[in-house]
Amino acid sequence: QASSGSCHRDRAGLCNAAPMSALAGLLPLSMAAAVSVAVAQSGIRQRQGRRPSNVRPRCCDPRSVATWAPLLAACFLLGAPLVGAANVAACPATATVSAEDWQAASQALADLGATGAPPPWPEWGRAWLQLGQQVRLGLEENLVACPEGAVTALLHSVGALDEAEGEMAALELVKMLHHLVASGGLPALGVKPQDGGEPWRQQWLLTAASLIRFAYLKWVQVPQDSSSKEATLPPIMPALQAHNSFVFKQTVGDFVRTGVYDLELTENSVLFSEAFAFMAFCRMHEVDYVLESGVYKGVSTEVWSLFAKDVSAVDIFISNEANQRLSRRSNVRLFEGDGRALLPQLLTEQPGRKAAIFIDGPKGELAIRLALSLREHPQVAFVAIHDMAPYRQELGKLGAFFLSDESWYQEAYGHLDAPFKARPDMPAGGTMAFLS
């Protein structure tokens, strides 16, 4: 239960004590009283994420989530005061949201519906941010326990989430809502008629799901390739094959001499052929600063430390194994937090250095969106993303210049992975894509 004195931290471990009573200054006096009572009873604290760079992915036009976030909330607002208020008021307490908080939110909707006026943007979204963040902490539980309240809080606060934690956090929320609500990820959220009211009011969750699906397909999704895999994988950029081949030939000896084959292997790490390509392009661009998002047990981080002057690696949680492995590497700095927010900050701290970035978390389309944002920084030579095999065709359209599973490359340098091939019990590797 959300109880007095509780403090729910975000994935970067941040917490803020700003009260939910921020809603009180924006809405009628009855709402202020309702919120004040709820806050006094629950003691819920608001958490606030780090603000990342204002650089936006060029694939995510309109230029900012702030363009479409009000669209989501405003459209949903048409139905929420009508059917949401009564349903939200009856929501049970969950691990992250108290019954009093649900009731205060319900009163806010009812009071706004009574005025017949639009909310005071953008303050309205900021006032909902605390409840939205509480819902996110236990997303699936809150969606099942109180679908009306959870979806209402999340959509009203998504613009403020973009403002507080950055565009990538808002895109992740849309993706999660799409998978859980619009795509039937939670069967308990199936559309069910409500008692009384016109049929179109009964189907409000389906309306919200339709809007969520549109936002996901428009601004988040990166299409995956067809399931059939080619026997021979051609170069993603054929015109660069000869150039890349020359770069690799000049660097392979240096890679072997780094001492990489003396490192302890672990499962789910990068293959040496992938690490070699990363090092080769670092040498070509005279990179001396490597940034990494997604550390796991620290194998790739340690590999980068063998040839880069400095390495900064970020993960939501740094494991003891990673800490122990990397403690002997004086040129490695580890940071716990959200790489989507921390990587831009770390770049701005070293404005004059040529940098390369490796993303192994987040995964999938969110990793691609992050890479497209980071490559806009002038000091970034290239960005490499792990586990990109399903997105080959789309990556070609987005400017990828090399993929580590290209057949010609594996024929020439697949032997670098001999230690992993000798350990079939140790799964490792995945297609690494390079963008600049």
Side-chain angles (χ1 to χ4, degrees):
Q1 299 295 324
S3 59
S4 177
S6 63
C7 177
H8 301 297
R9 298 183 179 273
D10 66 9
R11 295 198 292 180
L14 301 174
C15 180
N16 187 288
M20 187 177 177
S21 54
L23 283 167
L26 308 176
L27 300 167
L29 291 178
S30 58
M31 173 59 191
V35 174
S36 297
V37 171
V39 171
Q41 292 175 342
S42 66
I44 295 297
R45 296 182 179 180
Q46 178 180 357
R47 52 186 199 91
Q48 178 178 349
R50 298 177 185 257
R51 182 190 301 273
S53 164
N54 60 358
V55 176
R56 302 290 184 182
R58 48 182 148 178
C59 63
C60 297
D61 287 332
R63 290 289 183 264
S64 169
V65 173
T67 304
W68 56 262
L71 170 66
L72 284 173
C75 292
F76 183 71
L77 187 63
L78 298 175
L82 298 174
V83 298
N87 294 330
V88 173
C91 288
T94 67
T96 62
V97 183
S98 70
E100 291 83 1
D101 284 328
W102 289 129
Q103 291 169 1
S106 173
Q107 187 62 50
L109 291 172
D111 288 347
L112 181 67
T115 67
W121 305 107
E123 289 80 6
W124 172 263
R126 292 171 184 154
W128 281 90
L129 180 59
Q130 174 194 341
L131 183 58
Q133 290 172 320
Q134 291 169 224
V135 170
R136 287 168 61 210
L137 283 172
L139 184 57
E140 292 193 23
E141 179 191 6
N142 286 309
L143 282 171
V144 172
C146 184
E148 298 92 342
V151 173
T152 297
L154 292 171
L155 291 188
H156 283 324
S157 65
V158 67
L161 175 65
D162 171 61
E163 182 181 54
E165 298 186 24
E167 182 174 81
M168 295 305 301
L171 293 177
E172 181 183 42
L173 174 60
V174 172
K175 177 176 180 175
M176 294 171 70
L177 281 175
H178 172 263
H179 292 336
L180 293 174
V181 178
S183 296
L186 291 179
L189 297 182
V191 177
K192 300 175 182 178
Q194 307 292 332
D195 294 333
E198 294 84 349
W200 59 268
R201 289 188 181 182
Q202 298 174 2
Q203 309 298 333
W204 75 272
L205 186 58
L206 180 60
T207 303
S210 180
L211 187 59
I212 292 167
R213 176 172 171 77
F214 168 77
Y216 169 76
L217 295 177
K218 183 72 173 178
W219 291 293
V220 180
Q221 184 193 43
V222 177
Q224 296 190 22
D225 299 348
S226 61
S227 57
S228 58
K229 186 176 180 179
E230 302 175 56
T232 300
L233 295 175
I236 194 72
M237 193 172 288
L240 288 180
Q241 180 179 346
H243 171 270
N244 292 339
S245 178
F246 176 80
V247 170
F248 296 145
K249 288 179 181 178
Q250 301 303 309
T251 318
V252 64
D254 291 340
F255 177 75
V256 173
R257 286 189 290 270
T258 62
V260 66
Y261 286 97
D262 297 327
L263 302 182
E264 179 184 357
L265 302 181
T266 67
E267 78 286 353
N268 299 321
S269 64
V270 297
L271 295 173
F272 289 156
S273 62
E274 298 170 315
F276 164 58
F278 188 90
M279 174 185 162
F281 290 125
C282 283
R283 287 288 177 85
M284 184 184 78
H285 289 283
E286 299 181 338
V287 165
D288 72 342
Y289 185 33
V290 172
L291 296 94
E292 178 180 72
S293 178
V295 176
Y296 189 46
K297 295 185 178 181
V299 176
S300 58
T301 317
E302 189 171 26
V303 174
W304 315 146
S305 74
L306 298 177
F307 63 84
K309 183 176 180 180
D310 293 297
V311 179
S312 292
V314 179
D315 207 315
I316 296 298
F317 174 75
I318 304 295
S319 67
N320 289 334
E321 185 170 348
N323 272 315
Q324 293 173 5
R325 173 186 288 270
L326 299 169
S327 62
R328 60 183 180 271
R329 302 294 177 181
S330 60
N331 60 339
V332 173
R333 294 190 301 165
L334 296 176
F335 300 86
E336 279 197 344
D338 192 333
R340 299 168 305 182
L342 290 180
L343 289 184
Q345 293 178 14
L346 292 170
L347 282 171
T348 58
E349 291 174 3
Q350 306 280 345
R353 304 186 68 177
K354 183 68 74 173
I357 300 174
F358 175 60
I359 300 175
D360 202 10
K363 293 289 189 178
E365 53 206 359
L366 292 177
I368 296 173
R369 300 296 185 190
L370 177 59
L372 294 175
S373 173
L374 292 171
R375 75 175 180 180
E376 297 296 329
H377 289 259
Q379 70 200 88
V380 174
F382 66 89
V383 182
I385 324 171
H386 208 217
D387 300 322
M388 286 289 106
Y391 303 97
R392 186 181 187 86
Q393 294 180 8
E394 195 65 20
L395 286 167
K397 300 175 186 177
L398 294 173
F401 61 87
F402 176 74
L403 270 70
S404 64
D405 63 357
E406 295 177 10
S407 295
W408 74 269
Y409 178 75
Q410 285 301 313
E411 291 174 3
Y413 299 101
H415 67 274
L416 296 174
D417 300 326
F420 292 96
K421 294 176 181 177
R423 293 288 306 275
D425 60 315
M426 184 180 292
T431 299
M432 190 180 292
F434 294 78
L435 296 90
S436 62

